[in-house]
Amino acid sequence: MLAYVKRTTIKIDDTLDARMRHEAARRGMTVSEWTREAITAHLPGGEQEGDTVRRRTFHSAGAGDSGHSDISERMEELLAGLAEEEGTPQRRLGA
């Protein structure tokens, strides 16, 4: 139990309340524990030594990074090569 806690009231809609309660139950936490963790994770400098706050990770970040910096400059060349590989006759836009 925390040495000192302050009671705070928030206003949320029924859908968000249900999602919050479901996630807390799924993780085996009380709603208060889950709320404290969520708030701590979203405030700068909120992590203290020993805290186990899990930050949200976006696995799709950088998914389209080819490692080539000239893709937009070579778009016509690359699309033409793709069409040739697939055996598709080339057509120029506007022709």
mmCIF file of all heavy atoms in Angstrom, residues 34-63:
data_model
loop_
_atom_site.group_PDB
_atom_site.id
_atom_site.type_symbol
_atom_site.label_atom_id
_atom_site.label_comp_id
_atom_site.label_asym_id
_atom_site.label_seq_id
_atom_site.Cartn_x
_atom_site.Cartn_y
_atom_site.Cartn_z
ATOM 1 N N TRP A 34 -3.929 0.357 -11.875
ATOM 2 C CA TRP A 34 -3.827 0.555 -13.315
ATOM 3 C C TRP A 34 -3.820 2.042 -13.660
ATOM 4 O O TRP A 34 -3.042 2.491 -14.495
ATOM 5 C CB TRP A 34 -4.976 -0.163 -14.028
ATOM 6 C CG TRP A 34 -4.851 -0.086 -15.518
ATOM 7 C CD1 TRP A 34 -4.185 -0.941 -16.328
ATOM 8 C CD2 TRP A 34 -5.379 0.939 -16.356
ATOM 9 N NE1 TRP A 34 -4.271 -0.519 -17.633
ATOM 10 C CE2 TRP A 34 -4.998 0.638 -17.680
ATOM 11 C CE3 TRP A 34 -6.136 2.089 -16.126
ATOM 12 C CZ2 TRP A 34 -5.355 1.431 -18.749
ATOM 13 C CZ3 TRP A 34 -6.492 2.880 -17.204
ATOM 14 C CH2 TRP A 34 -6.097 2.551 -18.496
ATOM 15 N N THR A 35 -4.684 2.808 -13.009
ATOM 16 C CA THR A 35 -4.772 4.253 -13.267
ATOM 17 C C THR A 35 -3.475 4.952 -12.896
ATOM 18 O O THR A 35 -2.966 5.781 -13.647
ATOM 19 C CB THR A 35 -5.956 4.871 -12.497
ATOM 20 O OG1 THR A 35 -7.159 4.178 -12.870
ATOM 21 C CG2 THR A 35 -6.106 6.343 -12.797
ATOM 22 N N ARG A 36 -2.911 4.616 -11.723
ATOM 23 C CA ARG A 36 -1.632 5.219 -11.320
ATOM 24 C C ARG A 36 -0.545 4.895 -12.328
ATOM 25 O O ARG A 36 0.245 5.762 -12.714
ATOM 26 C CB ARG A 36 -1.219 4.739 -9.935
ATOM 27 C CG ARG A 36 -1.954 5.437 -8.799
ATOM 28 C CD ARG A 36 -1.342 5.110 -7.447
ATOM 29 N NE ARG A 36 -1.499 3.700 -7.091
ATOM 30 C CZ ARG A 36 -2.555 3.203 -6.449
ATOM 31 N NH1 ARG A 36 -3.553 3.996 -6.107
ATOM 32 N NH2 ARG A 36 -2.612 1.920 -6.147
ATOM 33 N N GLU A 37 -0.496 3.645 -12.790
ATOM 34 C CA GLU A 37 0.523 3.249 -13.761
ATOM 35 C C GLU A 37 0.349 3.996 -15.074
ATOM 36 O O GLU A 37 1.319 4.462 -15.665
ATOM 37 C CB GLU A 37 0.462 1.745 -14.001
ATOM 38 C CG GLU A 37 1.543 1.252 -14.930
ATOM 39 C CD GLU A 37 1.501 -0.240 -15.118
ATOM 40 O OE1 GLU A 37 1.788 -0.973 -14.160
ATOM 41 O OE2 GLU A 37 1.167 -0.675 -16.243
ATOM 42 N N ALA A 38 -0.892 4.105 -15.533
ATOM 43 C CA ALA A 38 -1.164 4.798 -16.799
ATOM 44 C C ALA A 38 -0.785 6.267 -16.712
ATOM 45 O O ALA A 38 -0.171 6.819 -17.632
ATOM 46 C CB ALA A 38 -2.637 4.642 -17.172
ATOM 47 N N ILE A 39 -1.125 6.913 -15.623
ATOM 48 C CA ILE A 39 -0.791 8.331 -15.456
ATOM 49 C C ILE A 39 0.719 8.505 -15.373
ATOM 50 O O ILE A 39 1.294 9.382 -16.019
ATOM 51 C CB ILE A 39 -1.493 8.919 -14.212
ATOM 52 C CG1 ILE A 39 -3.005 8.988 -14.456
ATOM 53 C CG2 ILE A 39 -0.928 10.295 -13.870
ATOM 54 C CD1 ILE A 39 -3.819 9.322 -13.222
ATOM 55 N N THR A 40 1.383 7.660 -14.604
ATOM 56 C CA THR A 40 2.836 7.735 -14.464
ATOM 57 C C THR A 40 3.524 7.562 -15.807
ATOM 58 O O THR A 40 4.480 8.271 -16.127
ATOM 59 C CB THR A 40 3.344 6.661 -13.483
ATOM 60 O OG1 THR A 40 2.734 6.888 -12.215
ATOM 61 C CG2 THR A 40 4.846 6.711 -13.328
ATOM 62 N N ALA A 41 3.039 6.635 -16.618
ATOM 63 C CA ALA A 41 3.650 6.365 -17.916
ATOM 64 C C ALA A 41 3.512 7.528 -18.886
ATOM 65 O O ALA A 41 4.316 7.665 -19.798
ATOM 66 C CB ALA A 41 3.034 5.112 -18.526
ATOM 67 N N HIS A 42 2.514 8.367 -18.702
ATOM 68 C CA HIS A 42 2.273 9.458 -19.645
ATOM 69 C C HIS A 42 2.781 10.811 -19.179
ATOM 70 O O HIS A 42 2.708 11.779 -19.923
ATOM 71 C CB HIS A 42 0.776 9.531 -19.979
ATOM 72 C CG HIS A 42 0.377 8.432 -20.900
ATOM 73 N ND1 HIS A 42 0.001 7.187 -20.444
ATOM 74 C CD2 HIS A 42 0.329 8.372 -22.245
ATOM 75 C CE1 HIS A 42 -0.263 6.422 -21.482
ATOM 76 N NE2 HIS A 42 -0.076 7.113 -22.576
ATOM 77 N N LEU A 43 3.315 10.889 -17.978
ATOM 78 C CA LEU A 43 3.864 12.147 -17.493
ATOM 79 C C LEU A 43 5.384 12.130 -17.627
ATOM 80 O O LEU A 43 6.020 11.119 -17.314
ATOM 81 C CB LEU A 43 3.488 12.376 -16.025
ATOM 82 C CG LEU A 43 2.025 12.676 -15.755
ATOM 83 C CD1 LEU A 43 1.773 12.756 -14.255
ATOM 84 C CD2 LEU A 43 1.618 13.982 -16.426
ATOM 85 N N PRO A 44 5.979 13.238 -18.084
ATOM 86 C CA PRO A 44 7.437 13.268 -18.200
ATOM 87 C C PRO A 44 8.093 13.108 -16.831
ATOM 88 O O PRO A 44 7.636 13.689 -15.846
ATOM 89 C CB PRO A 44 7.736 14.644 -18.785
ATOM 90 C CG PRO A 44 6.443 15.356 -18.929
ATOM 91 C CD PRO A 44 5.339 14.459 -18.483
ATOM 92 N N GLY A 45 9.138 12.306 -16.780
ATOM 93 C CA GLY A 45 9.889 12.112 -15.540
ATOM 94 C C GLY A 45 9.113 11.369 -14.477
ATOM 95 O O GLY A 45 9.489 11.398 -13.303
ATOM 96 N N GLY A 46 8.054 10.690 -14.857
ATOM 97 C CA GLY A 46 7.214 10.028 -13.880
ATOM 98 C C GLY A 46 7.754 8.712 -13.382
ATOM 99 O O GLY A 46 7.300 8.192 -12.388
ATOM 100 N N GLU A 47 8.736 8.174 -14.079
ATOM 101 C CA GLU A 47 9.280 6.892 -13.666
ATOM 102 C C GLU A 47 10.294 7.098 -12.541
ATOM 103 O O GLU A 47 11.202 7.889 -12.649
ATOM 104 C CB GLU A 47 9.948 6.197 -14.844
ATOM 105 C CG GLU A 47 8.982 5.865 -15.945
ATOM 106 C CD GLU A 47 9.676 5.293 -17.151
ATOM 107 O OE1 GLU A 47 10.832 4.882 -17.037
ATOM 108 O OE2 GLU A 47 9.044 5.267 -18.206
ATOM 109 N N GLN A 48 10.107 6.362 -11.492
ATOM 110 C CA GLN A 48 11.037 6.422 -10.369
ATOM 111 C C GLN A 48 11.784 5.109 -10.306
ATOM 112 O O GLN A 48 11.347 4.096 -10.837
ATOM 113 C CB GLN A 48 10.286 6.668 -9.063
ATOM 114 C CG GLN A 48 9.540 7.986 -9.066
ATOM 115 C CD GLN A 48 8.725 8.148 -7.800
ATOM 116 O OE1 GLN A 48 8.860 7.380 -6.862
ATOM 117 N NE2 GLN A 48 7.887 9.154 -7.776
ATOM 118 N N GLU A 49 12.909 5.123 -9.637
ATOM 119 C CA GLU A 49 13.705 3.920 -9.513
ATOM 120 C C GLU A 49 12.866 2.799 -8.911
ATOM 121 O O GLU A 49 12.181 2.979 -7.919
ATOM 122 C CB GLU A 49 14.922 4.198 -8.618
ATOM 123 C CG GLU A 49 15.921 3.059 -8.624
ATOM 124 C CD GLU A 49 17.171 3.406 -7.847
ATOM 125 O OE1 GLU A 49 17.495 4.589 -7.749
ATOM 126 O OE2 GLU A 49 17.800 2.474 -7.347
ATOM 127 N N GLY A 50 12.891 1.654 -9.559
ATOM 128 C CA GLY A 50 12.132 0.515 -9.058
ATOM 129 C C GLY A 50 10.749 0.388 -9.664
ATOM 130 O O GLY A 50 10.115 -0.636 -9.531
ATOM 131 N N ASP A 51 10.249 1.420 -10.327
ATOM 132 C CA ASP A 51 8.934 1.341 -10.961
ATOM 133 C C ASP A 51 9.015 0.440 -12.188
ATOM 134 O O ASP A 51 10.006 0.423 -12.904
ATOM 135 C CB ASP A 51 8.440 2.723 -11.408
ATOM 136 C CG ASP A 51 7.934 3.555 -10.238
ATOM 137 O OD1 ASP A 51 7.814 3.001 -9.137
ATOM 138 O OD2 ASP A 51 7.681 4.753 -10.443
ATOM 139 N N THR A 52 7.982 -0.297 -12.422
ATOM 140 C CA THR A 52 7.933 -1.165 -13.603
ATOM 141 C C THR A 52 6.818 -0.681 -14.516
ATOM 142 O O THR A 52 5.812 -1.347 -14.690
ATOM 143 C CB THR A 52 7.697 -2.635 -13.203
ATOM 144 O OG1 THR A 52 6.489 -2.690 -12.436
ATOM 145 C CG2 THR A 52 8.848 -3.190 -12.411
ATOM 146 N N VAL A 53 6.989 0.495 -15.066
ATOM 147 C CA VAL A 53 5.989 1.066 -15.954
ATOM 148 C C VAL A 53 6.268 0.584 -17.369
ATOM 149 O O VAL A 53 7.364 0.719 -17.877
ATOM 150 C CB VAL A 53 6.034 2.615 -15.908
ATOM 151 C CG1 VAL A 53 5.085 3.208 -16.920
ATOM 152 C CG2 VAL A 53 5.701 3.087 -14.511
ATOM 153 N N ARG A 54 5.256 -0.017 -17.993
ATOM 154 C CA ARG A 54 5.388 -0.481 -19.370
ATOM 155 C C ARG A 54 4.889 0.606 -20.305
ATOM 156 O O ARG A 54 3.742 1.005 -20.235
ATOM 157 C CB ARG A 54 4.578 -1.754 -19.574
ATOM 158 C CG ARG A 54 5.170 -2.918 -18.845
ATOM 159 C CD ARG A 54 4.343 -4.158 -18.956
ATOM 160 N NE ARG A 54 3.603 -4.251 -20.197
ATOM 161 C CZ ARG A 54 2.634 -5.123 -20.404
ATOM 162 N NH1 ARG A 54 2.296 -5.961 -19.453
ATOM 163 N NH2 ARG A 54 1.996 -5.159 -21.541
ATOM 164 N N ARG A 55 5.768 1.083 -21.160
ATOM 165 C CA ARG A 55 5.376 2.099 -22.128
ATOM 166 C C ARG A 55 4.822 1.433 -23.378
ATOM 167 O O ARG A 55 5.236 0.354 -23.747
ATOM 168 C CB ARG A 55 6.556 2.980 -22.493
ATOM 169 C CG ARG A 55 7.000 3.843 -21.336
ATOM 170 C CD ARG A 55 7.898 4.950 -21.843
ATOM 171 N NE ARG A 55 8.244 5.815 -20.751
ATOM 172 C CZ ARG A 55 7.549 6.889 -20.411
ATOM 173 N NH1 ARG A 55 6.476 7.213 -21.075
ATOM 174 N NH2 ARG A 55 7.923 7.639 -19.411
ATOM 175 N N ARG A 56 3.912 2.122 -24.007
ATOM 176 C CA ARG A 56 3.316 1.626 -25.245
ATOM 177 C C ARG A 56 4.361 1.678 -26.348
ATOM 178 O O ARG A 56 5.046 2.665 -26.516
ATOM 179 C CB ARG A 56 2.133 2.503 -25.609
ATOM 180 C CG ARG A 56 1.388 2.041 -26.799
ATOM 181 C CD ARG A 56 0.229 2.935 -27.038
ATOM 182 N NE ARG A 56 -0.815 2.180 -27.692
ATOM 183 C CZ ARG A 56 -1.989 2.658 -27.965
ATOM 184 N NH1 ARG A 56 -2.293 3.873 -27.620
ATOM 185 N NH2 ARG A 56 -2.879 1.921 -28.566
ATOM 186 N N THR A 57 4.482 0.593 -27.103
ATOM 187 C CA THR A 57 5.426 0.513 -28.199
ATOM 188 C C THR A 57 4.664 0.384 -29.502
ATOM 189 O O THR A 57 3.775 -0.451 -29.617
ATOM 190 C CB THR A 57 6.344 -0.720 -28.028
ATOM 191 O OG1 THR A 57 7.000 -0.623 -26.778
ATOM 192 C CG2 THR A 57 7.378 -0.791 -29.128
ATOM 193 N N PHE A 58 5.019 1.213 -30.447
ATOM 194 C CA PHE A 58 4.394 1.154 -31.756
ATOM 195 C C PHE A 58 5.294 0.338 -32.664
ATOM 196 O O PHE A 58 6.313 0.810 -33.143
ATOM 197 C CB PHE A 58 4.163 2.562 -32.313
ATOM 198 C CG PHE A 58 3.178 3.338 -31.491
ATOM 199 C CD1 PHE A 58 3.598 4.217 -30.516
ATOM 200 C CD2 PHE A 58 1.825 3.163 -31.690
ATOM 201 C CE1 PHE A 58 2.680 4.909 -29.751
ATOM 202 C CE2 PHE A 58 0.895 3.863 -30.925
ATOM 203 C CZ PHE A 58 1.326 4.729 -29.955
ATOM 204 N N HIS A 59 4.913 -0.917 -32.893
ATOM 205 C CA HIS A 59 5.742 -1.818 -33.663
ATOM 206 C C HIS A 59 5.795 -1.453 -35.140
ATOM 207 O O HIS A 59 6.684 -1.898 -35.856
ATOM 208 C CB HIS A 59 5.254 -3.257 -33.491
ATOM 209 C CG HIS A 59 5.326 -3.711 -32.074
ATOM 210 N ND1 HIS A 59 6.512 -4.033 -31.458
ATOM 211 C CD2 HIS A 59 4.376 -3.873 -31.128
ATOM 212 C CE1 HIS A 59 6.297 -4.389 -30.213
ATOM 213 N NE2 HIS A 59 4.995 -4.290 -29.977
ATOM 214 N N SER A 60 4.862 -0.654 -35.599
ATOM 215 C CA SER A 60 4.845 -0.293 -37.014
ATOM 216 C C SER A 60 5.769 0.888 -37.322
ATOM 217 O O SER A 60 6.014 1.178 -38.493
ATOM 218 C CB SER A 60 3.431 0.054 -37.454
ATOM 219 O OG SER A 60 2.956 1.172 -36.725
ATOM 220 N N ALA A 61 6.293 1.548 -36.314
ATOM 221 C CA ALA A 61 7.169 2.695 -36.545
ATOM 222 C C ALA A 61 8.389 2.255 -37.339
ATOM 223 O O ALA A 61 9.091 1.334 -36.964
ATOM 224 C CB ALA A 61 7.591 3.317 -35.219
ATOM 225 N N GLY A 62 8.628 2.887 -38.460
ATOM 226 C CA GLY A 62 9.768 2.573 -39.298
ATOM 227 C C GLY A 62 9.574 1.358 -40.182
ATOM 228 O O GLY A 62 10.519 0.914 -40.836
ATOM 229 N N ALA A 63 8.371 0.817 -40.235
ATOM 230 C CA ALA A 63 8.132 -0.403 -41.009
ATOM 231 C C ALA A 63 8.362 -0.192 -42.498
ATOM 232 O O ALA A 63 8.727 -1.120 -43.206
ATOM 233 C CB ALA A 63 6.709 -0.912 -40.775
#
